[in-house]
Amino acid sequence: MNLNIDQLRADTPGVQNVLHFNNAGCSLPIKAVVDVITEYLQLEAMVGGYEAKDQYQKTIDQFYQEAATLINASPDEIAIVGNASEGFNKALYAIPFEVGDIILTSEVEYGNNFINFLNLKKQKGIEIQIIPNDEFGNIMLEKMESMISPQVKLIAITHIPTNSGLIVPAEKIGAIAKKHNILYLLDACQSVGHMPVDVEKIQCDFLATTSRKYLRGPRGLGFLYVRKGILKKLNPPTLDMVTAHWDDVENYHLDSDVKMFENWEKSYALVLGFSKALSYLNQLGIKNTWKRIQHLSNILREKLNHIEGIKVLDIGNQKCGIVSFVLDKIPPEDLHKVLLQQSVNTSVSARFSTVIDMDKRGLSSVNRASIHYYNSEEEIDIFVKKMEYIAEQVLRKINK
Ligand SMILES: Cc1ncc(COP(=O)(O)O)c(C=O)c1O
């Protein structure tokens, strides 16, 4: 199916207002997402929160089907969580680690994830081992396999890191995890909605993602996928009344159900908005939207590469819609501000989000332009012209 770009942009009111290349931060939503949220909040105000939920129960339940369809899972393997970090952490702390267990992870791991590995090291005496990247930024799969031992309890990988256009080969890692029967947790916060992600092909046991980024849903939600077959092995770190059932003054019992990762209370307005965003994407087809993201980001990467003073910093062989770069002599934070004053949204990825990779490459922060399918070729031209102008001004100043 060919995407109707004019229609997609008409569906997205924000494109009239800003040039938005901050989709890895938070995408612009379609109008229908905002409408469903506000309409539901109005209904809550008019009939009562519990009563509104009863009226909408069937529509709310469709969320699980939409999320499952997108990642090729089953609806009873999906839990609604507050964000990707919460989903990741709930999965991580549910694994019964023992002293000496090893977590294998990557050089591009996200800050939240690594902080919690360190916490488990402190609390439970686990060990963290980092799979190295080669000189081009690709994870070394043979090296990874040589690091497998009976102590490796978990392979935890970030699929697309926050600070560069790299795609980590999640399927190849999954094949190794499966071969050695090791639990596999995927941080797919930047990849779900961005590119095709299929949990059967990847063979992960857990996957955490967020609503606001490439999925174009509202802020403050995410979902966690947990493979059905492993639920019995897990101990949720905290219990809620949907997680556990209170039997009597001495006892409670748990169901081996993915709902053990949900909170009883949640914003159903946001769930409906998230569901609408997922159904819109499922209708467009992730293969189609991914093709367009690749097309647009390749153009941007190529054009930025040709501007004197700009260095594109994306690593690895497989690249995505995130384009990371720096402009010589201009701190990324300053460039970001200059662009923002011109209604151009980009972001800055700072060291603290990906400490290992940033330190290895001697970077304290980078500029990040992240493209979505609803962006246009014209926007790329405008952006590139602005960058050419800014780079030229900087060169002039230097040569004065
Ligand atoms: C790779 C990656 N993982 C996890 C997160 C955390 O997402 P959330 O803020 O939804 O917890 C981010 C956020 O930028 C991210 O880029």
Side-chain angles (χ1 to χ4, degrees), residues 24-25 82-88 108-113 158-163 187-191 208-213 219-222 322 349 353-354 368:
N83 58 357
S85 302
E86 183 185 302
F88 188 96
V108 296
E109 203 58 19
Y110 186 67
N112 165 76
N113 311 353
T158 295
H159 198 183
I160 291 180
T162 199
N163 66 329
D187 173 348
C189 181
Q190 293 289 2
S191 59
T209 194
T210 208
S211 158
R212 73 184 183 279
K213 295 178 187 285
R219 296 195 70 170
L221 270 190
I322 297 175
S349 198
S353 295
T354 39
R368 185 178 74 174

Side-chain angles (χ1 to χ4, degrees), residues 1 3 8 216 279-286 288-289 373:
M1 173 180 115
L3 297 175
L8 299 178
R216 307 185 67 196
S279 96
Y280 185 79
L281 178 58
N282 282 331
Q283 278 167 31
L284 294 177
I286 187 72
N288 302 317
T289 54
Y373 62 80

Side-chain angles (χ1 to χ4, degrees), residues 61-320:
D61 288 344
Q62 279 167 13
F63 168 83
Y64 298 96
Q65 185 58 61
E66 294 292 352
T69 299
L70 183 64
I71 62 166
N72 192 24
S74 151
D76 58 359
E77 293 177 307
I78 304 289
I80 296 171
V81 292
N83 58 357
S85 302
E86 183 185 302
F88 188 96
N89 295 344
K90 281 185 165 177
L92 182 69
Y93 285 96
I95 300 169
F97 285 106
E98 288 168 14
V99 178
D101 283 344
I102 295 171
I103 296 178
L104 274 191
T105 189
S106 76
E107 286 186 355
V108 296
E109 203 58 19
Y110 186 67
N112 165 76
N113 311 353
F114 210 89
I115 287 170
N116 284 288
F117 303 156
L118 288 170
N119 192 37
L120 281 172
K121 186 175 173 178
K122 254 195 197 165
Q123 285 187 357
K124 298 229 171 160
I126 63 123
E127 234 189 85
I128 308 162
Q129 291 185 3
I130 299 162
I131 308 152
N133 280 348
D134 66 16
E135 58 187 308
F136 308 107
N138 302 301
I139 194 162
M140 296 172 76
L141 293 168
E142 279 181 19
K143 174 73 186 162
M144 172 185 167
E145 196 154 13
S146 76
M147 293 166 81
I148 304 276
S149 70
Q151 284 72 46
V152 177
K153 179 85 149 239
L154 176 71
I155 296 173
I157 298 287
T158 295
H159 198 183
I160 291 180
T162 199
N163 66 329
S164 81
L166 171 74
I167 304 171
V168 174
E171 273 184 40
K172 289 185 176 149
I173 292 168
I176 297 172
K178 193 81 182 169
K179 181 172 155 196
H180 296 277
N181 199 21
I182 296 169
L183 289 172
Y184 180 20
L185 165 57
L186 192 68
D187 173 348
C189 181
Q190 293 289 2
S191 59
V192 174
H194 187 158
M195 58 180 282
V197 172
D198 179 325
V199 292
E200 286 311 312
K201 287 188 182 155
I202 293 174
Q203 304 187 77
C204 53
D205 297 296
F206 312 90
L207 172 152
T209 194
T210 208
S211 158
R212 73 184 183 279
K213 295 178 187 285
Y214 276 85
L215 285 170
R216 307 185 67 196
R219 296 195 70 170
L221 270 190
F223 72 79
L224 172 69
Y225 155 84
V226 184
R227 187 172 292 280
K228 236 182 284 179
I230 66 155
L231 283 161
K232 282 205 170 76
K233 296 185 195 167
L234 305 174
N235 297 321
T238 57
L239 303 178
D240 180 287
M241 287 198 313
V242 279
T243 323
H245 308 284
W246 189 13
D247 299 325
D248 56 44
V249 74
E250 295 290 344
N251 299 293
Y252 68 86
H253 72 271
L254 293 173
D255 293 333
S256 293
D257 184 314
V258 73
K259 290 276 190 299
M260 66 166 74
F261 293 102
E262 286 199 3
N263 289 336
W264 189 83
E265 173 59 0
K266 51 183 84 75
S267 163
Y268 290 104
L270 297 186
V271 172
L272 289 167
F274 194 4
S275 189
K276 178 64 82 182
L278 286 162
S279 96
Y280 185 79
L281 178 58
N282 282 331
Q283 278 167 31
L284 294 177
I286 187 72
K287 284 191 182 143
N288 302 317
T289 54
W290 170 225
K291 219 165 145 188
R292 176 154 172 90
I293 291 173
Q294 286 174 298
H295 163 70
L296 293 175
S297 53
N298 285 342
I299 300 176
L300 178 61
R301 210 173 267 120
E302 179 70 19
K303 291 195 170 174
L304 286 182
N305 246 331
H306 281 95
I307 302 177
E308 197 179 344
I310 289 189
K311 206 167 167 192
V312 174
L313 293 169
D314 296 331
I315 56 172
N317 294 341
Q318 300 294 321
K319 301 216 173 43
C320 64

